[in-house]
């Protein structure tokens, strides 16, 4: 190949001769066939870009280096981002804290560690034992700052921690109470108190303010440092104080009642029993205790435990305000042009007539254009635009695109494109909106914002039941918590009562202790069916009350009660966090109970909210769906799951993290919303607020009768014990007495004998045998025969055969 190159007279192509080489290579060589391939191989490096050619020039040519190319040192310095710097600082601080801790606990130290510990001991005093822990905590905080549960580091927090540590050194030095400056320095030199830093802090404050003023200044300094470190206000540092004072007041009231009772012991006071089974609010005392209490002197109102007047919490004190969101209108216009060009390239011309920017997606309203055909001009079919969803996603570089064809009530097709950043929709921003104020109902709750950024609220009483479904981590629990938060913010326990079922034990158990709960959160699956049966009994009792009063619904009935000066019946909302677990345990009983409640409970003020993460046909059955017209679908794995929830596809293209489709009972199609977000701290503040009323809980009445006034004044009021009522009451079989009489006359008992004599089935006969065994009438079955010996013949004598024996 080298000889042929010399023979042809060709030189190695440079930068300027590259096009000529390409043109020569394209000409055929008539001489030799093999020679036509070899020059082609040698010409391949010449086809590369000029930038690679410049990079291969000799280092002696300064013109070959680009001016924009940074040096290695400049590249390393500029590439060290803030996150990398924080990581390095966190590792260094953690290492220093660990080494200092090992040096403190080590018995054998080197000269370096001994000098290091000695210097720290004189500088920090007793604070040397807090230094390793502080360094470790701050270092791990910087390294693990990206975790969701860990607060982000900020200059204010770091300043607060530094001030807090310096304040603790001053307080440690104050404990030794040095009288003079020399004594303070002597303590620091001996490694006691707060060391030289603590001595310096204390002496500066004492010189300016005196010893008393220095003490007050250190306490104020401590509060400010804690507020900066925890990023809370000074008032929020003492949020635990009101509940504590309320509990102490309740204990003091109980103690005064014991002293005033003059011989009535506390166990006797607590010995009240329900009036009847199934009634959870009416209590009666033993007659002797009631007479002794009536003879007691009158108790001043300040000493007795009287029900407090319910006060609704202030929304601004419970919920956090949302931040402002900036939108890039130019980017939206550019995306609109891309959509028009893409549709035109596929033969479906259209025009973007409206752009609606929401917190999660941006909806482009596309109006189909006309195309020329043999029959004249005709409009582009909507189905043709809907079939181009994947092509539009490719052109816009979007993860997924949902096309709503057409938008209900509009004259265009909606193309929903995800935003680059999802905006957080806070619960407070929706509650303070006019859309929420227009819901004139105690069961109104905030849903979120639609694709145009408008707040959306709904009324649970009008639904009247709600089904929430979606995949794991899509936002179901946040949705349920936001609904509960709305109810607790705007209703007292006299207005709304709650029953919660949480088989997972972690989602709803945080609400235990609030006065709205009829009972602690149900976490055992075997008690769920009993809880639902109690709700059925309550529903039946309410219907009897409505029929006797001649009212059609709870609103009319409560109006009559208030007109007579009686307490009204509260709404009852049942939350079931995971329906799939209940359907696995007892599918028939669960489906039958939920279906009957959903069909009949609306008029009595009982409403259901059911959530599940497994939207399959064996969980969300046809009977359940038929009675739950209001549904919320979060992101699911497939279109089949979407059809189970909404009876149509669409939920499989949602983005997750609160992105949902809300199907209202009176709407023709589901609406896409970004659900509201409520944080754990907001829920905790709300729960603590209502728990502060636990010392004087005014229990609301139920349909079976009874109010809190039936409990004598001064008795400790407790949360309603429904567990006894949750257990279904055993109904006496009508044939039990006849079976007992037959067994005593025959002198033996067996299932087959009862089947023949009473002409009943095996199941009923076995149940009768078990009832007689529980009453002690017959004994256990004998081995082999299964017959049972009669233990109690009652007033009648045994049969003649046994008397002879």
């Amino acid at each position: 190949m080298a000889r042929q190159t010399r023979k042809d007279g060709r030189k190695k192509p440079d930068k300027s001769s590259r096009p000529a080489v390409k043109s020569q290579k394209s000409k055929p060589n008539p001489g030799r066939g093999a020679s036509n391939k070899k020059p082609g191989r040698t010409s391949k490096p010449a086809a590369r870009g000029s930038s690679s050619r410049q990079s291969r020039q000799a280092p002696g040519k300064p013109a070959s280096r680009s001016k924009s190319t940074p040096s290695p040192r400049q590249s390393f310095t500029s590439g060290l981002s803030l996150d990398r710097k924080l990581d390095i600082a966190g590792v260094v601080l953690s290492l220093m804290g660990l080494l200092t801790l090992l040096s403190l606990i080590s018995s054998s130290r080197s000269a370096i560690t001994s000098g290091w510990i000695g210097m720290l001991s004189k500088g920090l005093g007793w604070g040397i034992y807090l230094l390793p822990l502080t360094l470790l905590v701050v270092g791990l905080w910087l390294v693990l700052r990206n975790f969701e549960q860990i607060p982000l580091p900020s200059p204010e927090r770091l300043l607060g921690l530094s001030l807090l540590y310096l304040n603790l050194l001053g307080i440690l030095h104050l404990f030794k109470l040095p009288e003079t400056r020399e004594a303070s320095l002597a303590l620091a030199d001996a490694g006691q108190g707060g060391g030289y830093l603590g001595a310096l802090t204390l002496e500066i404050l004492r010189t300016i303010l005196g010893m008393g003023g220095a003490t007050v200044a250190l306490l104020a300094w401590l509060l400010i440092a804690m507020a900066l470190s925890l990023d809370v206000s000074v008032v929020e540092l003492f949020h635990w104080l009101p509940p504590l004072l309320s509990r102490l007041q309740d204990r003091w009231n109980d103690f005064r009642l014991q002293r005033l009772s003059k011989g009535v012991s506390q166990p006797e006071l607590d010995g009240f029993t329900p009036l009847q089974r199934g009634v959870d609010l009416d209590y009666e005392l033993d007659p002797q205790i009631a007479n002794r209490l009536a003879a007691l002197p009158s108790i001043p109102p300040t000493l007795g435990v009287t029900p407090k007047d319910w006060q609704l919490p202030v929304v601004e004190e419970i919920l956090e305000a949302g931040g402002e969101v900036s939108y890039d209108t130019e980017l939206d216009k550019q995306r609109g042009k891309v959509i028009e060009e893409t549709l035109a390239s596929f033969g479906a011309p259209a025009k973007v007539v409206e752009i609606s920017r929401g917190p999660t997606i941006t909806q482009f309203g596309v109006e189909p254009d006309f195309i020329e055909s043999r029959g004249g001009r005709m409009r582009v079919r909507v189905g043709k635009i809907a079939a181009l969803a994947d092509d539009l996603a490719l052109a816009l570089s979007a993860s997924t695109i949902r096309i709503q064809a057409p938008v209900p009530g509009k004259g265009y097709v909606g193309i929903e494109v995800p935003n680059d950043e999802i905006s957080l929709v806070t619960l407070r921003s929706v509650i303070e909106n006019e859309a929420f104020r227009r819901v004139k109902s105690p069961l109104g709750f905030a849903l979120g914002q639609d694709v145009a950024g408008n707040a959306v609220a709904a009324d649970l009483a009008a639904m009247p039941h709600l089904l929430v479904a979606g995949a794991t981590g899509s936002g179901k629990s946040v949705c349920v918590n936001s609904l509960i938060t709305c109810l607790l913010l705007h209703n007292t326990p006299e207005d709304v009562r709650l029953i919660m079922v949480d088989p997972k034990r972690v989602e709803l158990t945080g609400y235990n202790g609030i006065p709205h709960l009829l009972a602690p959160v149900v976490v055992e699956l075997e008690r769920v069916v009993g809880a639902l049966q109690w709700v059925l009994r309550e529903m039946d009792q309410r219907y009897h009350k409505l029929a006797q009063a001649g009212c059609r619904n709870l609103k009319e009935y409560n109006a009559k009660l208030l007109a007579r000066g009686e307490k009204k019946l509260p709404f009852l909302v049942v939350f079931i966090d995971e329906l799939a677990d209940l359907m696995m345990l007892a599918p028939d009983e669960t489906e039958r109970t939920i279906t009957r409640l959903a069909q009949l409970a609306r008029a009595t003020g009982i409403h259901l909210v059911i959530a599940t993460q497994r939207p399959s046909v064996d969980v969300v059955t046809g009977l359940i769906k038929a009675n739950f017209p209001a549904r919320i679908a979060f992101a699911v794995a497939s279109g089949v799951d979407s059809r189970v929830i909404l009876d149509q596809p669409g939920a499989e293209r949602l983005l997750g993290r609160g992105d949902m489709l809300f199907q209202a009972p009176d709407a023709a199609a589901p609406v896409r919303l970004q659900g509201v977000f409520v944080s754990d701290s907001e829920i905790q503040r709300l729960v603590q607020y209502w728990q502060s009323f636990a010392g004087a809980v005014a229990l609301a009445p139920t349909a079976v009768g009874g109010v809190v006034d039936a409990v004598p004044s001064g008795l400790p009021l407790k949360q309603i014990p429904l567990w006894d009522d949750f257990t279904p009451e055993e109904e006496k079989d009508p044939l039990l007495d006849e079976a007992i009489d037959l067994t005593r006359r025959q002198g033996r008992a067996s299932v087959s004998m009862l089947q023949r004599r009473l002409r009943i089935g095996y199941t009923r006969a076995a149940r009768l045998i078990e009832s007689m065994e529980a009453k002690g009438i017959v004994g256990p079955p004998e081995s082999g025969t299964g017959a049972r010996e009669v233990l109690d013949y009652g007033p009648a004598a045994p049969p003649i055969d046994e008397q002879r024996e």
Side-chain angles (χ1 to χ4, degrees):
M1 182 171 62
R3 291 179 181 177
Q4 183 180 0
T5 304
R6 296 192 188 99
K7 184 177 181 180
D8 295 340
R10 296 179 182 177
K11 297 180 181 180
K12 187 176 181 180
D14 56 359
K15 182 178 179 181
S16 60
S17 62
R18 188 179 299 110
V21 172
K22 289 183 178 180
S23 61
Q24 290 178 7
K25 185 184 71 172
S26 61
K27 295 179 180 181
N29 190 352
R32 296 176 62 184
S35 63
N36 193 21
K37 297 180 181 179
K38 292 181 180 180
R41 294 179 181 177
T42 58
S43 62
K44 283 184 179 180
R48 296 180 181 177
S50 59
S51 61
S52 62
R53 178 68 61 186
Q54 291 176 1
S55 64
R56 295 185 179 181
Q57 290 181 356
K61 297 180 181 181
S64 62
R65 182 183 294 271
S66 176
K67 293 183 180 180
S68 62
T69 304
S71 62
R73 180 172 298 181
Q74 293 175 349
S75 175
F76 175 77
T77 305
S78 62
L80 199 60
S81 62
L82 179 59
D83 288 341
R84 189 66 57 83
K85 293 177 183 178
L86 292 177
D87 291 338
I88 295 174
V91 173
V92 171
L93 290 177
S94 301
L95 180 61
M96 291 178 58
L98 185 59
L99 292 178
T100 305
L101 180 62
L102 293 177
S103 300
L104 282 174
I105 63 178
S106 177
S107 58
S108 59
R109 302 172 183 168
S110 63
I112 298 177
T113 56
S114 298
W116 171 250
I117 295 299
M119 181 182 65
L120 291 179
S121 178
K122 291 185 177 182
L124 306 177
W126 293 335
I128 189 176
Y129 299 102
L130 296 176
L131 180 65
L133 299 179
T134 304
L135 293 177
L136 280 173
V137 170
V138 175
L140 293 176
W141 180 29
L142 294 177
V143 172
L144 305 176
R145 64 189 181 277
N146 292 326
F147 284 82
E148 294 183 358
Q149 302 298 331
I150 298 179
L152 292 176
S154 61
E156 292 80 6
R157 289 181 182 270
L158 296 177
L159 176 62
L161 290 175
S162 303
L163 292 177
L164 180 61
Y165 186 76
L166 187 60
N167 177 266
L168 292 177
L169 294 181
I171 293 177
L172 289 176
H173 214 75
L174 181 64
F175 284 160
K176 300 295 292 184
L177 294 177
E179 298 179 355
T180 62
R181 182 180 301 176
E182 290 75 12
S184 179
L185 295 177
L187 285 175
D189 189 68
Q192 298 181 2
Y196 281 107
L197 281 178
L200 179 62
T201 303
L202 181 62
E203 290 305 322
I204 291 176
L205 294 177
R206 184 164 63 175
T207 303
I208 299 175
L209 305 174
M211 182 58 75
T215 305
V216 175
L218 285 175
L219 292 178
W221 185 350
L222 177 63
L223 294 178
I224 295 174
M226 291 180 64
L228 288 175
S229 302
L230 300 177
D231 194 15
V232 296
S233 63
V234 178
V235 178
E236 291 177 350
L237 292 175
F238 301 95
H239 67 277
W240 49 271
L241 190 57
L244 178 62
L245 294 178
S246 178
R247 293 179 183 178
L248 292 177
Q249 180 66 28
D250 297 335
R251 296 291 179 87
W252 173 251
N253 293 334
D254 294 341
F255 175 72
R256 294 297 300 269
L257 284 175
Q258 289 180 7
R259 296 187 60 183
L260 291 171
S261 60
K262 294 181 181 180
V264 181
S265 61
Q266 186 65 26
E268 292 175 332
L269 287 175
D270 291 338
F272 52 87
T273 56
L275 289 175
Q276 60 182 18
R277 191 174 185 84
V279 181
D280 54 297
L281 293 172
D282 290 343
Y283 298 97
E284 64 177 0
L285 290 172
D286 185 86
Q288 297 180 357
I289 299 177
N291 295 331
R292 296 172 69 181
L293 284 176
L296 293 178
S298 61
I299 302 174
T302 56
L303 299 179
V305 182
T306 57
K308 300 180 181 178
D309 293 332
W310 300 114
Q311 295 180 359
L312 294 176
V314 181
V315 176
E316 291 77 8
E317 296 178 357
I318 302 297
L319 302 181
E320 300 173 359
E324 296 293 333
V325 181
S326 59
Y327 300 125
D328 189 357
T329 56
E330 294 297 330
L331 179 60
D332 294 339
K333 293 180 180 179
Q334 183 180 358
R335 284 184 169 183
K337 293 181 180 179
V338 173
I339 290 175
E340 292 179 352
E341 295 173 356
T342 304
L343 292 177
S345 64
F346 284 98
K351 183 179 181 181
V352 176
V353 296
E354 184 176 345
I355 299 177
S356 301
R357 179 69 181 251
T360 306
I361 62 168
T362 300
Q363 187 185 68
F364 295 87
V366 176
E367 183 179 7
D369 208 342
F370 292 91
I371 57 175
E372 298 292 339
S373 63
R374 294 181 179 179
R377 298 184 63 191
M378 60 178 299
R379 189 180 292 272
V380 176
R381 293 184 294 106
V382 174
K384 189 172 184 180
I385 298 178
L388 298 175
D390 296 334
D391 299 291
L392 289 173
L394 178 63
L396 296 171
S397 301
S399 58
T400 179
I401 283 181
R402 178 176 176 266
I403 296 181
Q404 191 175 14
V407 178
K410 303 291 184 179
Y412 52 76
V413 177
I415 299 178
E416 299 172 353
V417 182
N419 296 335
D420 295 335
E421 296 182 1
I422 297 179
S423 303
L424 184 65
V425 180
T426 60
L427 180 59
R428 178 177 170 181
S429 62
V430 180
I431 288 180
E432 294 177 347
N433 195 277
E434 184 63 26
F436 184 82
R437 298 190 185 100
R438 287 197 298 264
V439 181
K440 304 297 182 180
S441 172
L443 300 185
F445 65 97
L447 274 172
Q449 293 182 1
D450 58 9
V451 294
N454 301 319
V456 179
D459 182 14
L460 183 61
M463 290 185 177
H465 312 289
L466 180 62
L467 174 65
V468 183
T472 304
S474 57
K476 299 184 306 300
S477 299
V478 177
C479 179
V480 174
N481 283 321
S482 64
L483 200 160
I484 297 173
T485 303
C486 289
L487 296 181
L488 296 181
L489 283 173
H490 301 93
N491 296 278
T492 66
E494 294 179 352
D495 301 326
V496 173
R497 283 304 175 95
L498 307 177
I499 292 179
M500 298 183 184
V501 177
D502 182 17
K504 293 186 290 187
R505 300 172 180 263
V506 294
E507 298 294 345
L508 303 178
T509 51
Y511 295 99
N512 275 326
I514 62 175
H516 296 74
L517 281 179
L518 282 174
V521 179
V522 186
V523 294
E524 291 84 3
L525 289 177
E526 58 270 12
R527 289 190 174 184
V528 175
V529 176
L532 296 178
Q533 290 178 351
W534 183 91
V535 178
L536 280 177
R537 295 201 301 271
E538 175 70 13
M539 181 190 70
D540 294 336
Q541 293 289 343
R542 290 193 176 196
Y543 267 118
H544 285 301
K545 292 287 184 180
L546 295 180
Q548 292 175 2
C551 301
R552 298 185 61 185
N553 50 48
L554 185 66
K555 185 177 180 180
E556 297 179 5
Y557 180 73
N558 283 336
K560 288 189 175 182
L561 290 181
L562 294 176
R564 295 198 300 262
E566 301 178 5
K567 289 192 175 183
K568 61 182 180 180
L569 287 178
F571 288 95
L572 182 59
V573 184
V574 182
F575 291 91
I576 300 177
D577 184 61
E578 186 50 62
L579 180 63
D581 291 346
L582 309 185
M583 296 298 290
M584 292 176 60
L585 179 68
D588 297 335
E589 188 69 23
T590 301
E591 182 182 14
R592 182 166 56 252
T593 306
I594 291 177
T595 303
R596 187 165 184 265
L597 282 173
Q599 289 174 347
L600 302 175
R602 177 179 183 177
T604 62
I606 300 177
H607 305 276
L608 302 177
V609 178
I610 297 178
T612 181
Q613 64 180 3
R614 201 182 75 185
S616 56
V617 293
D618 57 340
V619 175
V620 186
T621 62
L623 282 176
I624 294 179
K625 285 173 54 179
N627 296 281
F628 284 80
R631 306 165 193 168
I632 294 179
F634 289 90
V636 295
S638 63
V640 176
D641 295 339
S642 178
R643 291 182 181 276
V644 171
I645 306 171
L646 301 173
D647 297 325
Q648 59 180 308
E652 74 278 3
R653 291 186 173 269
L654 297 178
L655 304 177
R657 298 182 61 184
D659 191 15
M660 65 181 182
L661 292 175
F662 171 61
Q663 176 66 61
D666 54 351
V671 181
R672 188 170 186 178
L673 305 174
Q674 174 63 29
V676 295
F677 175 78
V678 55
S679 62
D680 294 338
S681 59
E682 294 172 337
I683 297 175
Q684 186 177 5
R685 285 196 293 267
L686 183 60
V687 170
Q688 289 176 352
Y689 174 83
W690 283 114
Q691 285 177 349
S692 63
F693 290 92
V697 179
L699 302 179
T702 58
V704 293
V707 293
V708 70
D709 296 337
V711 184
S713 176
L715 291 180
L717 302 178
K718 302 180 181 179
Q719 201 172 32
I720 304 173
L722 287 182
W723 294 126
D724 295 337
D725 298 330
F726 281 174
T727 305
E729 187 176 356
E730 294 183 2
E731 297 181 358
K732 182 179 178 181
D733 196 308
L735 294 179
L736 179 60
D737 294 336
E738 185 177 354
I740 294 175
D741 182 67
L742 177 64
T743 300
R744 287 172 173 172
R745 286 189 284 105
Q746 294 294 326
R748 61 186 181 87
S750 65
V751 176
S752 59
M753 185 266 291
L754 293 181
Q755 286 183 266
R756 293 192 309 270
R757 296 296 182 93
L758 301 179
R759 297 181 180 179
I760 57 177
Y762 174 82
T763 304
R764 189 174 184 182
R767 190 181 298 114
L768 290 173
I769 290 291
E770 292 175 357
S771 300
M772 288 188 291
E773 184 179 3
K775 293 179 178 295
I777 298 175
V778 298
E782 299 177 359
S783 59
T785 61
R788 297 173 182 262
E789 180 184 0
V790 179
L791 303 178
D792 181 12
Y793 285 96
I800 300 177
D801 296 340
E802 291 194 9
Q803 290 181 353
R804 291 177 180 178
E805 293 177 0

